[in-house]
Amino acid sequence: MLSINLKGKKAFIAGIGDDQGFGWAIAKALAEAGATILIGTWTPMMKIFTTALENGKFDESRVLSDGSLMQIEKIYSLDAAFDTPADVPADILENKRYKDAEGYTISEVADTVAKDYGKIDIFVHSLA
């Protein structure tokens, strides 16, 4: 593996919903290099993904070369189909997977990440 030092860098990977895709593999490689990992998960998948993560379903695939587990600093609910809250149709707002979700449009997630971390250094688009 290419040796890169990303300690102190923040990486946002949009589009991770499990441990099988390119987004996960990229997040793991960035974590191996020392980056802080932030994830954007599609709003309808958020509860499924976070529950699986909390229950250890992904632990085997989180193992880094030093034996530690890849740490995910924060997971954001993200639906890239909507730029702003005004773009979200009423039927989506009433959908059970969106009803309790907040701040999942592109502009809201960008604002929240900026508030939480100031800036990110790496952005990976891994949306299906």
Side-chain angles (χ1 to χ4, degrees), residues 62-75:
R62 288 175 57 205
V63 176
L64 300 175
S65 62
D66 67 0
S68 68
L69 294 181
M70 173 179 67
Q71 297 302 305
I72 299 169
E73 180 82 11
K74 188 161 182 183
I75 303 169

Side-chain angles (χ1 to χ4, degrees), residues 16-92:
I16 294 179
D18 59 30
D19 63 345
Q20 299 299 304
F22 288 117
W24 184 271
I26 293 167
K28 192 170 173 181
L30 293 169
E32 283 278 2
T36 298
I37 304 301
L38 311 171
I39 290 178
T41 297
W42 188 42
T43 304
M45 287 291 301
M46 185 69 165
K47 184 172 178 155
I48 296 165
F49 177 71
T50 56
T51 299
L53 185 66
E54 290 164 4
N55 289 337
K57 182 175 186 227
F58 306 134
D59 282 358
E60 188 175 326
S61 62
R62 288 175 57 205
V63 176
L64 300 175
S65 62
D66 67 0
S68 68
L69 294 181
M70 173 179 67
Q71 297 302 305
I72 299 169
E73 180 82 11
K74 188 161 182 183
I75 303 169
Y76 295 86
S77 179
L78 172 66
D79 193 323
F82 310 115
D83 291 334
T84 68
D87 298 327
V88 182
D91 64 319
I92 296 292

